[in-house]
Amino acid sequence: MTQPETTPPGPESLPQDGPAFEILGADRPSRWLMTCDHATNIVPPSVGHGSLGIAPEDMARHIAFDPGAAGVTRALADLLDAPAILSRFSRLVIDPNRGEDDPTLVMKLYDGTIIPANRAVGPAETERRLAAFHRPYHAAYAALAARHPARAICALHSFTPRLKGRPDRPWQIGILHSHRDSRLALPLIAALADTGLCVGDNEPYSGHLDGDAIDRHALSQGRPNVLIEIRNDLIATEADQQAWAARLAPVLQAVLAASGL
């Protein structure tokens, strides 16, 4: 039986959702811009009254956000004296790392969990979420990226050690990159492997989706870029996040400097 589309509330009845993003150190001088598309599992009040209808333990999983990634992003931004932008809504509300026409923009099933608040979402509610969350995030991202004439972008994500029914993922860190620009990614993979890490090259998944955040703000603009995925069990605590940032910061600086970009 086809579920009826949920009718979105009118603008006058929308609860106060708060900002769709957080910016750190907008005026910091570094060429690097640190980004965290999946920083939080917040569900704004205008979406299901602040609930997606799934259990708290599911909201704490990788399906709702990238656990640990925000802490690494903040610490790296501090160490590199770089600006950062972080999302303030769950990827299950609407995924800021997807293009507006991507079929996985609003997920209805993810890693074995049905998302009740998304089951009846159709074009009208998708458009509302785009206008309220996705587009403001990307507008702020674009403005922050443009503040430095030689901007390089480093996107921080985390991945689960194992998807349901799938084998364990051995990589400690993955560097994702597009065939259109591997200028920083390949040297970074080599440099991290030299430190003894188990590094995935476009693992645990491919590094390019048309219309995703790196495609939109780096590839289409000719900006050097890397996308870093850290296995989330390795960045579960603030101490772990600080340690990984301290490990990554000098390598990122050295790879960018050596690239001549």
Side-chain angles (χ1 to χ4, degrees), residues 21-195:
F21 55 87
E22 176 186 2
I23 288 176
L24 305 175
D27 295 324
R28 289 173 176 172
S30 175
R31 285 187 64 189
W32 286 110
L33 167 60
M34 314 306 299
T35 73
C36 191
D37 298 328
H38 301 145
T40 180
N41 59 359
I42 291 171
V43 180
S46 69
V47 177
H49 301 287
S51 172
L52 294 167
I54 63 177
E57 53 267 32
D58 276 328
M59 286 303 298
R61 294 204 299 132
H62 68 99
I63 65 171
F65 72 126
D66 283 353
V72 178
T73 301
R74 295 174 191 278
L76 261 176
D78 287 344
L79 290 170
L80 296 173
D81 201 16
I85 184 168
L86 301 90
S87 67
R88 293 196 71 257
F89 53 94
S90 170
R91 68 194 299 171
L92 294 179
V93 170
I94 193 163
D95 195 332
N97 195 35
R98 296 291 184 270
E100 293 196 11
D101 59 352
D102 192 297
T104 64
L105 184 65
V106 178
M107 292 291 282
K108 301 184 180 185
L109 172 69
Y110 195 177
D111 195 21
T113 296
I114 293 171
I115 318 302
N118 290 347
R119 288 183 66 176
V121 168
E125 174 62 5
T126 298
E127 175 61 27
R128 189 191 72 80
R129 295 187 193 184
L130 282 166
F133 312 115
H134 193 280
R135 290 175 188 149
Y137 174 77
H138 282 287
Y141 189 150
L144 200 54
R147 290 177 76 114
H148 196 295
R151 182 68 79 200
I153 293 177
C154 178
L156 267 296
H157 293 256
S158 70
F159 64 94
T160 184
R162 184 172 62 87
L163 292 170
K164 290 184 177 180
R166 303 287 184 86
D168 289 341
R169 291 164 160 176
W171 312 280
Q172 294 166 290
I173 187 169
I175 305 301
L176 275 54
H177 54 100
S178 168
H179 62 282
R180 290 164 52 194
D181 186 3
S182 298
R183 294 173 295 172
L184 290 183
L186 295 180
L188 181 60
I189 290 166
L192 291 171
D194 284 346
T195 71

